[in-house]
Amino acid sequence: MAGSFPWLTLLTFSPIIGLIVLLFLPGTNRRALRWTAIVTTLVPLALSLWLFAVHDASDPDAFREKADWITIALNHEAVNIESSAYVFQYHLAIDGLSLPLVVLASLVAVMAALASVHIKKRWKAFYVWFLLLETGMLGVFLARDLILFFLFFELTLIALFFLIGIWGSLNREKAANTFLIYNGLGSALMLIAFVLLIATAGASLNATQQGGDLVYTGDYATIRSNLTAENSLTNLPGHYENPFALSDGMRWAIFILLLAAFGIKLPMLPFHTWMLRVHAEAPPSVVMIHSGVLLKMGGYGLIRFGVGLFPGLAEEAAFVLALLGAAGVLYGAALAFVQTEFRLVLAYSSVSHMGIVLLGIASLNEIGLQGAVYQLVSHGLISALLFLIVGSLHERTGTTELDELGGLARPMPFMSGMLLAAGVASLGLPGLSGFVGEFLSFLGLFETMKWVTAIAAIGVILAAVYILRSVLKITFGPQQERYAALKDARLIEAVPMIALMAFIVLLGIYPSVLTDAMQGSFDDIIAQLNARMGG
Amino acid sequence: MLMTATQALTGPDVAYLVPEILLVGAAIVLTVLDLLLPNTVRRGWISWLTLASLAGAAAAVIGQFAMFNPFDGDAEVVSLLSDSYRIDGFALVMKLVILTASMLILLMGIRTIERDDAIPDKGETFTMMLPAVTGALVLCSTADLITMFVGLELLGISTYVMIGFRKKSSLASEAAFKYIVIGAVSSAIILFGMSYLYGVTGSTNLGWIAWALEQAAADYQALVYVALFFIVAGFAVKIAAVPFHAWAPDVYQGAATPVTAFLAVVSKAAAFIALVRVIFNTAVIQTPFILGPGVSPVGEDVLLALKVLAAAAMIVGTTAALRQKNVKRLLALSGVANAGYLLVPLAIGIGSTSTNNLGDFAFYLVAYLFMTIGAFAVMAVVGRAAGHDELKGYAGLYYRAPWTAAGMVVLLVSLAGLPVTGGFFGKLFILLSAVQMKDYWLAAIMVVTSVISYYFYFSIIRQMFMRTAETEAKLSVPAPTGIVAWICVVATLALGFLPNAFMDMFEQAVTLSRDIWIAVPK
């Protein structure tokens, strides 16, 4: 039914089309610029929802788009082979792991585009970078070639640097720099891991009469099968020195590199400092995307590349992962409790919630992995909503310091209600999406590591404390005179709030929308783990 | 002692020297014209004639592709005067690279030099480029130590003069003086090493040297070490690799921007090309059954020295650039770091499945050429408008010249090694080869220094986009300079989106066994 039409390419690059239209609009026509951007972001949303509806896990190739992008014949004088080449593919595909995140990304992008009414200057450039960022993040979730993945990943890095550095608040340049260097380091570790993989597991030899064609590829599926298959070049037994062999030490090195690279993005506990600054400085609509989608690339990468390529090593490291996750949950919760700035409360709350993702991953069973992805999507929606509200509040009150806020429920009943609802969703109230993600993750981990689960679960209680402390402080309490005349949300602000809340409720009361789509996505990983245990 | 068979230059052979002869002839004619014409005649046309003669040389090189078709695997390399001069695939491709760079630099310099009040004799600055380029072409084509030295000196002395032409600037005089002294010392070091190499092998021909070196290394190991290490050290000065780089920031800062670009690209590239010939005939040689680089242990140690040089250049170049507020000095240090990246393919040697060193080298060289010349072109415009080359001159460039600022972003992103640009794929290919040769530490240093370099490349971007300018006046970009900048931007992006176009051409045109390893009649 998909035919040969490149739907995924259209999905990924439709923001670029909008971007080109934007370039021809006059920079002063704020309204036209804004609506062009909003309409542009609707295209990927519509496409991704349609894909979500028609995606059939039993037919993974229905929407696969694959073409050799760069084929480079190499010098092969020293080898007894006919040819040697690098093949980097343009390869997009969807599966149960990436599809929910694609929907999340395109949804949050629409909401963030709507929320960008707060942007006060240089609208044209803002939307240009914004749309580039959207293409980057959609591409990250769809790419199935290591180099292509890396390209999209770096695109988000460059775009976000500009978005933070130009439109952020007071310390924006410093925040942009911290972000660039910290994430650049993460990408660097990832690049080393990828290059190691391409040079070893990426190699395959197609026999010909003159000795064979040696091909190095960045194709995810090839690398994955070469890492496990017994007769691949990488695993070839032999007494001579095999240039493609990966020793156990090298496998661990690559795994740890990937762990650190995506751990920085997630962020995993010791690597979280950079994201605090981004949360505090970036403009609200950019934080929506950052917290809502970009952090999720870390979790996605951990599952896709860390666990997906090295399930055996992930199993051996599971306990450490779980401890890191639990530490993140507790540390984030504890620090969120003492923050006096609402954005930082939310930032630490993100650290805490991403710890739960790590717990789900560490369980390495179907329930836990589903929980991890569920938590990614759910936290994406909730934090996007929270930062949307924060942006609107900040525009009106000029501050996000908890001490200076209070009693906003009276002048702004709608927004305060939304804030409260988003808050309870974040602390994991049953019936809202946050609960399902946390519950599945904990349930999965409980099967393997009961004590860690028990300790980490304390964080959930703490979440209730810090969320309610800050949300109630803002909405109730003595009303301050200067806030009495503030207006409630405008329509353009209310619409994304309602839409995000609707999705949060939907996922909360009807989890199978998402779990059904993920069904079977982790079969490969689980099967490999079972095979290890059996063997 | 070996005797090199002498070979005289015949009439038809001269046809292979057309590009060089053309440039030398043009240099003489234009210099004499410049001398004889009265001062009242404007000198603008000399620059265009210089450009035309460079274009003519490029056309002649392209013509040589037809005479010696490097894409034909069975084509015989043309060897003149016992390999003093070779027309092979590597030489032809590299000559095109050198000539392209020279033409771009000249085009960018036309307006810049005309408007530079510190240069009284505009015409000479252009004509002086011709002998310099001739020297660079000689370095592309030679496989003989003596001819190589002549090429180096021709290039070196012409560039000393080019820097010094900025007579009314004390910084330029200082730069010229420093460059003369450093250049002369490095030439002396190279010559000293060459003399030892001749002493132990009995030949100045690289083919014979490669053949005789194994025995020589067994007999006079210490002398072979001295010979090769001195040559490497001398070249390290020319390419500005650490710890022989200290001259670069001062010299780059003093010279007129187009001349700086010439030093950063053409001089550096030419020295690298000669170094490739030397390294791939001494440290890495063709052995009957190739299992690894030859001439152990001397060759191994030379490669190790190159690796250390590369690592030091990458680390020192990037860390020193962090605190740099002058963009010209910053690009000088960036050039040091890039010399480190370019050294990696030379240093890692060849392995049983990895022999792509020259492709990696050439690709990154071409990417470096475009991104660096483009950056210098933008710098010439901005520096001229601001009256200085400090970082703050870029403040608010986005408001004053949005398209130039956007182009500069592409060039800087490429310099930082981020996708989708030539700089990214250049580094990626080098990285892949380094990993295939299991030089993990070198690969790690490459990647980490690239990340550190984000800081200073993006500091220029920060100025352009996030600061406000002192003046809101639109920046006027002279047409030739603007054209050069945009050629470079487009080429940088093209190398990023279609890296295979250049790489495939190069891999078909150049092979180690035909072009680099010189067959000697045994």
Side-chain angles (χ1 to χ4, degrees), chain A residues 69 72-75 77-79 86 122 151 154 162 173 177 188 196 243, chain B residues 352 355-356 398-399 418-419 429 438 447 462 465 467 497 503-504 507 512-513:
Chain A
W69 172 33
I72 296 170
L74 300 175
N75 183 305
E77 287 174 72
V79 222
Y86 294 135
R122 292 160 77 177
L151 297 187
E154 296 295 88
F162 280 91
E173 286 189 20
N177 254 346
L196 284 169
Chain B
S352 58
T355 51
N356 202 44
Y398 168 75
Y399 299 101
L418 285 165
F429 295 143
K438 312 241 179 275
V447 173
R462 221 160 44 236
F465 285 83
R467 301 284 166 85
F497 280 96
M503 204 66 156
D504 279 346
E507 298 294 359
L512 282 168
S513 47

mmCIF file of all heavy atoms in Angstrom, chain A residues 69 72-75 77-79 86 122 151 154 162 173 177 188 196 243, chain B residues 352 355-356 398-399 418-419 429 438 447 462 465 467 497 503-504 507 512-513:
data_model
loop_
_atom_site.group_PDB
_atom_site.id
_atom_site.type_symbol
_atom_site.label_atom_id
_atom_site.label_comp_id
_atom_site.label_asym_id
_atom_site.label_seq_id
_atom_site.Cartn_x
_atom_site.Cartn_y
_atom_site.Cartn_z
ATOM 1 N N TRP A 69 24.120 5.962 -0.967
ATOM 2 C CA TRP A 69 24.320 7.412 -1.085
ATOM 3 C C TRP A 69 25.743 7.672 -1.540
ATOM 4 O O TRP A 69 25.988 8.307 -2.560
ATOM 5 C CB TRP A 69 24.024 8.066 0.267
ATOM 6 C CG TRP A 69 24.377 9.509 0.341
ATOM 7 C CD1 TRP A 69 24.328 10.420 -0.672
ATOM 8 C CD2 TRP A 69 24.825 10.203 1.484
ATOM 9 N NE1 TRP A 69 24.713 11.654 -0.211
ATOM 10 C CE2 TRP A 69 25.023 11.558 1.099
ATOM 11 C CE3 TRP A 69 25.068 9.845 2.822
ATOM 12 C CZ2 TRP A 69 25.465 12.524 2.002
ATOM 13 C CZ3 TRP A 69 25.496 10.808 3.700
ATOM 14 C CH2 TRP A 69 25.689 12.138 3.294
ATOM 15 N N ILE A 72 32.365 4.710 -2.368
ATOM 16 C CA ILE A 72 33.698 5.185 -2.687
ATOM 17 C C ILE A 72 34.623 4.007 -2.887
ATOM 18 O O ILE A 72 34.875 3.233 -1.965
ATOM 19 C CB ILE A 72 34.228 6.099 -1.579
ATOM 20 C CG1 ILE A 72 33.359 7.353 -1.502
ATOM 21 C CG2 ILE A 72 35.664 6.479 -1.838
ATOM 22 C CD1 ILE A 72 33.634 8.184 -0.317
ATOM 23 N N ALA A 73 35.109 3.875 -4.093
ATOM 24 C CA ALA A 73 36.078 2.825 -4.368
ATOM 25 C C ALA A 73 37.397 3.229 -3.737
ATOM 26 O O ALA A 73 37.825 4.369 -3.842
ATOM 27 C CB ALA A 73 36.236 2.649 -5.861
ATOM 28 N N LEU A 74 38.024 2.285 -3.055
ATOM 29 C CA LEU A 74 39.258 2.602 -2.359
ATOM 30 C C LEU A 74 40.443 1.962 -3.047
ATOM 31 O O LEU A 74 40.302 1.025 -3.830
ATOM 32 C CB LEU A 74 39.185 2.089 -0.921
ATOM 33 C CG LEU A 74 38.075 2.666 -0.073
ATOM 34 C CD1 LEU A 74 38.041 1.978 1.262
ATOM 35 C CD2 LEU A 74 38.299 4.147 0.110
ATOM 36 N N ASN A 75 41.591 2.489 -2.700
ATOM 37 C CA ASN A 75 42.825 1.859 -3.142
ATOM 38 C C ASN A 75 42.916 0.475 -2.505
ATOM 39 O O ASN A 75 42.651 0.313 -1.327
ATOM 40 C CB ASN A 75 43.979 2.747 -2.682
ATOM 41 C CG ASN A 75 45.296 2.231 -3.156
ATOM 42 O OD1 ASN A 75 45.644 1.089 -2.901
ATOM 43 N ND2 ASN A 75 46.043 3.062 -3.840
ATOM 44 N N GLU A 77 45.652 -1.867 -3.226
ATOM 45 C CA GLU A 77 46.838 -2.472 -3.830
ATOM 46 C C GLU A 77 47.470 -3.539 -2.971
ATOM 47 O O GLU A 77 48.149 -4.423 -3.465
ATOM 48 C CB GLU A 77 47.876 -1.378 -4.111
ATOM 49 C CG GLU A 77 47.463 -0.524 -5.268
ATOM 50 C CD GLU A 77 48.403 0.630 -5.435
ATOM 51 O OE1 GLU A 77 49.527 0.389 -5.864
ATOM 52 O OE2 GLU A 77 48.015 1.750 -5.104
ATOM 53 N N ALA A 78 47.288 -3.430 -1.661
ATOM 54 C CA ALA A 78 47.992 -4.364 -0.808
ATOM 55 C C ALA A 78 47.198 -5.644 -0.563
ATOM 56 O O ALA A 78 47.670 -6.547 0.082
ATOM 57 C CB ALA A 78 48.322 -3.710 0.522
ATOM 58 N N VAL A 79 46.016 -5.710 -1.064
ATOM 59 C CA VAL A 79 45.169 -6.841 -0.721
ATOM 60 C C VAL A 79 44.901 -7.698 -1.950
ATOM 61 O O VAL A 79 44.807 -7.203 -3.062
ATOM 62 C CB VAL A 79 43.817 -6.371 -0.160
ATOM 63 C CG1 VAL A 79 43.438 -7.213 1.019
ATOM 64 C CG2 VAL A 79 43.859 -4.920 0.196
ATOM 65 N N TYR A 86 33.971 1.958 0.483
ATOM 66 C CA TYR A 86 33.061 2.386 1.542
ATOM 67 C C TYR A 86 31.684 2.546 0.922
ATOM 68 O O TYR A 86 31.561 3.153 -0.136
ATOM 69 C CB TYR A 86 33.449 3.751 2.108
ATOM 70 C CG TYR A 86 34.747 3.832 2.855
ATOM 71 C CD1 TYR A 86 35.639 4.878 2.640
ATOM 72 C CD2 TYR A 86 35.079 2.881 3.808
ATOM 73 C CE1 TYR A 86 36.822 4.975 3.340
ATOM 74 C CE2 TYR A 86 36.263 2.966 4.512
ATOM 75 C CZ TYR A 86 37.134 4.016 4.273
ATOM 76 O OH TYR A 86 38.296 4.111 4.969
ATOM 77 N N ARG A 122 14.056 38.549 15.268
ATOM 78 C CA ARG A 122 14.655 37.749 14.205
ATOM 79 C C ARG A 122 13.884 36.457 13.936
ATOM 80 O O ARG A 122 14.408 35.364 13.978
ATOM 81 C CB ARG A 122 16.110 37.438 14.568
ATOM 82 C CG ARG A 122 16.972 38.673 14.553
ATOM 83 C CD ARG A 122 18.238 38.526 15.322
ATOM 84 N NE ARG A 122 19.229 37.751 14.586
ATOM 85 C CZ ARG A 122 20.456 37.536 15.028
ATOM 86 N NH1 ARG A 122 20.831 38.038 16.191
ATOM 87 N NH2 ARG A 122 21.298 36.843 14.319
ATOM 88 N N LEU A 151 24.984 12.232 10.884
ATOM 89 C CA LEU A 151 24.734 13.511 10.220
ATOM 90 C C LEU A 151 23.526 14.212 10.827
ATOM 91 O O LEU A 151 23.573 15.400 11.147
ATOM 92 C CB LEU A 151 24.491 13.305 8.722
ATOM 93 C CG LEU A 151 25.624 12.724 7.889
ATOM 94 C CD1 LEU A 151 25.255 12.752 6.421
ATOM 95 C CD2 LEU A 151 26.892 13.512 8.104
ATOM 96 N N GLU A 154 24.248 15.484 14.370
ATOM 97 C CA GLU A 154 25.037 16.708 14.406
ATOM 98 C C GLU A 154 24.235 17.910 13.924
ATOM 99 O O GLU A 154 24.473 19.034 14.356
ATOM 100 C CB GLU A 154 26.305 16.551 13.553
ATOM 101 C CG GLU A 154 27.262 15.513 14.055
ATOM 102 C CD GLU A 154 27.851 15.869 15.409
ATOM 103 O OE1 GLU A 154 27.214 15.506 16.415
ATOM 104 O OE2 GLU A 154 28.905 16.492 15.473
ATOM 105 N N PHE A 162 22.514 27.558 17.676
ATOM 106 C CA PHE A 162 22.022 28.868 17.264
ATOM 107 C C PHE A 162 20.771 29.249 18.043
ATOM 108 O O PHE A 162 20.611 30.388 18.477
ATOM 109 C CB PHE A 162 21.713 28.873 15.761
ATOM 110 C CG PHE A 162 22.933 29.051 14.923
ATOM 111 C CD1 PHE A 162 23.653 27.970 14.477
ATOM 112 C CD2 PHE A 162 23.370 30.314 14.581
ATOM 113 C CE1 PHE A 162 24.789 28.134 13.711
ATOM 114 C CE2 PHE A 162 24.498 30.493 13.813
ATOM 115 C CZ PHE A 162 25.213 29.393 13.374
ATOM 116 N N GLU A 173 24.812 32.868 25.612
ATOM 117 C CA GLU A 173 26.006 32.451 24.865
ATOM 118 C C GLU A 173 26.794 31.399 25.628
ATOM 119 O O GLU A 173 27.305 30.447 25.059
ATOM 120 C CB GLU A 173 26.889 33.662 24.581
ATOM 121 C CG GLU A 173 26.302 34.534 23.508
ATOM 122 C CD GLU A 173 27.259 35.610 23.066
ATOM 123 O OE1 GLU A 173 28.466 35.471 23.293
ATOM 124 O OE2 GLU A 173 26.782 36.601 22.497
ATOM 125 N N ASN A 177 27.499 27.602 24.432
ATOM 126 C CA ASN A 177 28.841 27.031 24.386
ATOM 127 C C ASN A 177 28.949 25.739 25.166
ATOM 128 O O ASN A 177 29.504 24.753 24.681
ATOM 129 C CB ASN A 177 29.824 28.029 24.991
ATOM 130 C CG ASN A 177 30.646 28.670 23.930
ATOM 131 O OD1 ASN A 177 30.646 28.179 22.799
ATOM 132 N ND2 ASN A 177 31.325 29.734 24.258
ATOM 133 N N ALA A 188 31.538 13.014 19.626
ATOM 134 C CA ALA A 188 32.874 12.532 19.288
ATOM 135 C C ALA A 188 33.044 11.088 19.744
ATOM 136 O O ALA A 188 33.547 10.242 18.998
ATOM 137 C CB ALA A 188 33.919 13.423 19.935
ATOM 138 N N LEU A 196 34.905 2.596 14.643
ATOM 139 C CA LEU A 196 35.402 1.274 15.015
ATOM 140 C C LEU A 196 34.483 0.187 14.469
ATOM 141 O O LEU A 196 34.937 -0.838 13.950
ATOM 142 C CB LEU A 196 35.493 1.152 16.540
ATOM 143 C CG LEU A 196 36.659 1.870 17.216
ATOM 144 C CD1 LEU A 196 36.471 1.893 18.717
ATOM 145 C CD2 LEU A 196 37.966 1.183 16.875
ATOM 146 N N PRO A 243 42.210 -8.625 10.465
ATOM 147 C CA PRO A 243 42.066 -7.173 10.661
ATOM 148 C C PRO A 243 40.657 -6.751 11.039
ATOM 149 O O PRO A 243 40.449 -5.621 11.468
ATOM 150 C CB PRO A 243 42.460 -6.597 9.300
ATOM 151 C CG PRO A 243 42.283 -7.701 8.338
ATOM 152 C CD PRO A 243 42.522 -8.975 9.077
ATOM 153 N N SER B 352 47.511 -4.620 5.493
ATOM 154 C CA SER B 352 47.116 -5.653 4.539
ATOM 155 C C SER B 352 45.773 -5.309 3.890
ATOM 156 O O SER B 352 45.513 -5.715 2.765
ATOM 157 C CB SER B 352 47.039 -6.994 5.242
ATOM 158 O OG SER B 352 46.137 -6.912 6.305
ATOM 159 N N THR B 355 45.143 0.627 2.354
ATOM 160 C CA THR B 355 46.174 1.305 1.565
ATOM 161 C C THR B 355 45.616 2.577 0.982
ATOM 162 O O THR B 355 46.013 3.015 -0.078
ATOM 163 C CB THR B 355 46.645 0.411 0.404
ATOM 164 O OG1 THR B 355 45.489 -0.037 -0.291
ATOM 165 C CG2 THR B 355 47.448 -0.751 0.881
ATOM 166 N N ASN B 356 44.670 3.172 1.676
ATOM 167 C CA ASN B 356 43.979 4.311 1.092
ATOM 168 C C ASN B 356 44.595 5.647 1.505
ATOM 169 O O ASN B 356 43.958 6.684 1.382
ATOM 170 C CB ASN B 356 42.511 4.264 1.487
ATOM 171 C CG ASN B 356 41.664 5.047 0.526
ATOM 172 O OD1 ASN B 356 41.859 4.932 -0.685
ATOM 173 N ND2 ASN B 356 40.785 5.871 1.035
ATOM 174 N N TYR B 398 26.168 39.255 10.595
ATOM 175 C CA TYR B 398 24.900 38.757 10.065
ATOM 176 C C TYR B 398 23.988 39.903 9.626
ATOM 177 O O TYR B 398 23.285 39.801 8.637
ATOM 178 C CB TYR B 398 24.209 37.912 11.129
ATOM 179 C CG TYR B 398 22.782 37.578 10.841
ATOM 180 C CD1 TYR B 398 22.449 36.614 9.888
ATOM 181 C CD2 TYR B 398 21.751 38.226 11.503
ATOM 182 C CE1 TYR B 398 21.135 36.313 9.619
ATOM 183 C CE2 TYR B 398 20.437 37.932 11.236
ATOM 184 C CZ TYR B 398 20.132 36.980 10.297
ATOM 185 O OH TYR B 398 18.831 36.685 10.017
ATOM 186 N N TYR B 399 24.044 41.009 10.376
ATOM 187 C CA TYR B 399 23.171 42.131 10.028
ATOM 188 C C TYR B 399 23.732 42.913 8.855
ATOM 189 O O TYR B 399 23.006 43.547 8.109
ATOM 190 C CB TYR B 399 23.018 43.076 11.222
ATOM 191 C CG TYR B 399 22.405 42.423 12.411
ATOM 192 C CD1 TYR B 399 23.190 41.993 13.467
ATOM 193 C CD2 TYR B 399 21.026 42.208 12.466
ATOM 194 C CE1 TYR B 399 22.619 41.370 14.561
ATOM 195 C CE2 TYR B 399 20.457 41.594 13.556
ATOM 196 C CZ TYR B 399 21.246 41.183 14.599
ATOM 197 O OH TYR B 399 20.687 40.565 15.667
ATOM 198 N N LEU B 418 32.332 19.284 11.115
ATOM 199 C CA LEU B 418 30.947 18.866 11.310
ATOM 200 C C LEU B 418 30.295 18.624 9.956
ATOM 201 O O LEU B 418 30.652 19.250 8.968
ATOM 202 C CB LEU B 418 30.184 19.948 12.079
ATOM 203 C CG LEU B 418 30.497 20.011 13.577
ATOM 204 C CD1 LEU B 418 30.007 21.306 14.172
ATOM 205 C CD2 LEU B 418 29.860 18.842 14.291
ATOM 206 N N PRO B 419 29.305 17.730 9.906
ATOM 207 C CA PRO B 419 28.627 17.472 8.635
ATOM 208 C C PRO B 419 27.676 18.597 8.271
ATOM 209 O O PRO B 419 27.296 19.369 9.153
ATOM 210 C CB PRO B 419 27.849 16.191 8.925
ATOM 211 C CG PRO B 419 27.630 16.186 10.397
ATOM 212 C CD PRO B 419 28.790 16.907 11.003
ATOM 213 N N PHE B 429 37.325 9.964 6.615
ATOM 214 C CA PHE B 429 38.136 9.004 5.864
ATOM 215 C C PHE B 429 39.466 8.758 6.565
ATOM 216 O O PHE B 429 39.930 7.614 6.669
ATOM 217 C CB PHE B 429 38.388 9.508 4.437
ATOM 218 C CG PHE B 429 37.140 9.598 3.603
ATOM 219 C CD1 PHE B 429 36.961 10.629 2.701
ATOM 220 C CD2 PHE B 429 36.141 8.650 3.728
ATOM 221 C CE1 PHE B 429 35.810 10.709 1.936
ATOM 222 C CE2 PHE B 429 34.983 8.729 2.972
ATOM 223 C CZ PHE B 429 34.817 9.764 2.078
ATOM 224 N N LYS B 438 44.702 0.366 13.278
ATOM 225 C CA LYS B 438 44.699 0.159 14.733
ATOM 226 C C LYS B 438 45.482 1.231 15.485
ATOM 227 O O LYS B 438 46.024 0.990 16.556
ATOM 228 C CB LYS B 438 45.233 -1.239 15.104
ATOM 229 C CG LYS B 438 44.624 -2.362 14.291
ATOM 230 C CD LYS B 438 43.882 -3.346 15.174
ATOM 231 C CE LYS B 438 43.247 -4.480 14.394
ATOM 232 N NZ LYS B 438 41.936 -4.161 13.850
ATOM 233 N N VAL B 447 39.703 13.083 17.057
ATOM 234 C CA VAL B 447 38.299 13.393 17.336
ATOM 235 C C VAL B 447 38.182 14.402 18.468
ATOM 236 O O VAL B 447 37.429 15.372 18.389
ATOM 237 C CB VAL B 447 37.537 12.096 17.669
ATOM 238 C CG1 VAL B 447 36.141 12.425 18.118
ATOM 239 C CG2 VAL B 447 37.505 11.188 16.468
ATOM 240 N N ARG B 462 29.646 33.013 16.837
ATOM 241 C CA ARG B 462 28.989 33.746 17.916
ATOM 242 C C ARG B 462 29.058 35.242 17.647
ATOM 243 O O ARG B 462 28.073 35.965 17.789
ATOM 244 C CB ARG B 462 29.693 33.404 19.227
ATOM 245 C CG ARG B 462 28.750 33.209 20.356
ATOM 246 C CD ARG B 462 29.323 32.424 21.501
ATOM 247 N NE ARG B 462 30.643 32.768 21.892
ATOM 248 C CZ ARG B 462 31.657 31.912 21.946
ATOM 249 N NH1 ARG B 462 31.463 30.660 21.601
ATOM 250 N NH2 ARG B 462 32.845 32.280 22.344
ATOM 251 N N PHE B 465 26.655 36.215 14.675
ATOM 252 C CA PHE B 465 25.214 36.084 14.812
ATOM 253 C C PHE B 465 24.668 36.588 16.141
ATOM 254 O O PHE B 465 23.497 36.882 16.245
ATOM 255 C CB PHE B 465 24.803 34.616 14.638
ATOM 256 C CG PHE B 465 24.844 34.170 13.216
ATOM 257 C CD1 PHE B 465 26.030 33.753 12.642
ATOM 258 C CD2 PHE B 465 23.702 34.192 12.441
ATOM 259 C CE1 PHE B 465 26.073 33.366 11.329
ATOM 260 C CE2 PHE B 465 23.735 33.802 11.127
ATOM 261 C CZ PHE B 465 24.925 33.387 10.568
ATOM 262 N N ARG B 467 26.285 38.884 18.447
ATOM 263 C CA ARG B 467 26.690 40.194 18.951
ATOM 264 C C ARG B 467 26.185 41.252 17.995
ATOM 265 O O ARG B 467 25.881 40.960 16.840
ATOM 266 C CB ARG B 467 28.215 40.282 19.052
ATOM 267 C CG ARG B 467 28.833 39.247 19.936
ATOM 268 C CD ARG B 467 28.643 39.574 21.396
ATOM 269 N NE ARG B 467 28.948 38.442 22.245
ATOM 270 C CZ ARG B 467 30.178 38.137 22.675
ATOM 271 N NH1 ARG B 467 31.188 38.885 22.323
ATOM 272 N NH2 ARG B 467 30.370 37.092 23.456
ATOM 273 N N PHE B 497 28.312 16.548 0.278
ATOM 274 C CA PHE B 497 27.174 15.756 -0.170
ATOM 275 C C PHE B 497 27.586 14.660 -1.143
ATOM 276 O O PHE B 497 26.972 13.599 -1.177
ATOM 277 C CB PHE B 497 26.112 16.661 -0.798
ATOM 278 C CG PHE B 497 25.268 17.356 0.217
ATOM 279 C CD1 PHE B 497 25.551 18.641 0.620
ATOM 280 C CD2 PHE B 497 24.210 16.689 0.808
ATOM 281 C CE1 PHE B 497 24.775 19.270 1.585
ATOM 282 C CE2 PHE B 497 23.433 17.308 1.774
ATOM 283 C CZ PHE B 497 23.723 18.597 2.157
ATOM 284 N N MET B 503 36.790 11.512 -4.749
ATOM 285 C CA MET B 503 37.525 10.343 -4.269
ATOM 286 C C MET B 503 37.651 9.283 -5.366
ATOM 287 O O MET B 503 38.711 8.703 -5.561
ATOM 288 C CB MET B 503 36.779 9.789 -3.065
ATOM 289 C CG MET B 503 37.605 8.980 -2.122
ATOM 290 S SD MET B 503 38.869 9.919 -1.261
ATOM 291 C CE MET B 503 39.079 8.867 0.158
ATOM 292 N N ASP B 504 36.574 9.045 -6.099
ATOM 293 C CA ASP B 504 36.624 8.035 -7.163
ATOM 294 C C ASP B 504 37.613 8.449 -8.246
ATOM 295 O O ASP B 504 38.394 7.636 -8.739
ATOM 296 C CB ASP B 504 35.240 7.850 -7.782
ATOM 297 C CG ASP B 504 34.373 6.944 -6.931
ATOM 298 O OD1 ASP B 504 34.948 6.282 -6.039
ATOM 299 O OD2 ASP B 504 33.161 6.893 -7.141
ATOM 300 N N GLU B 507 41.105 7.902 -6.868
ATOM 301 C CA GLU B 507 41.509 6.494 -6.725
ATOM 302 C C GLU B 507 41.791 5.859 -8.085
ATOM 303 O O GLU B 507 42.609 4.955 -8.199
ATOM 304 C CB GLU B 507 40.430 5.691 -5.992
ATOM 305 C CG GLU B 507 40.154 6.152 -4.576
ATOM 306 C CD GLU B 507 41.337 5.931 -3.631
ATOM 307 O OE1 GLU B 507 42.367 5.400 -4.072
ATOM 308 O OE2 GLU B 507 41.220 6.306 -2.456
ATOM 309 N N LEU B 512 49.663 3.661 -5.767
ATOM 310 C CA LEU B 512 50.974 3.696 -5.136
ATOM 311 C C LEU B 512 52.022 3.061 -6.030
ATOM 312 O O LEU B 512 53.110 3.593 -6.239
ATOM 313 C CB LEU B 512 50.925 2.939 -3.803
ATOM 314 C CG LEU B 512 50.310 3.652 -2.610
ATOM 315 C CD1 LEU B 512 50.082 2.681 -1.483
ATOM 316 C CD2 LEU B 512 51.238 4.764 -2.153
ATOM 317 N N SER B 513 51.692 1.915 -6.584
ATOM 318 C CA SER B 513 52.738 1.147 -7.271
ATOM 319 C C SER B 513 53.170 1.808 -8.571
ATOM 320 O O SER B 513 54.307 1.659 -8.986
ATOM 321 C CB SER B 513 52.245 -0.278 -7.518
ATOM 322 O OG SER B 513 50.956 -0.240 -8.054
#
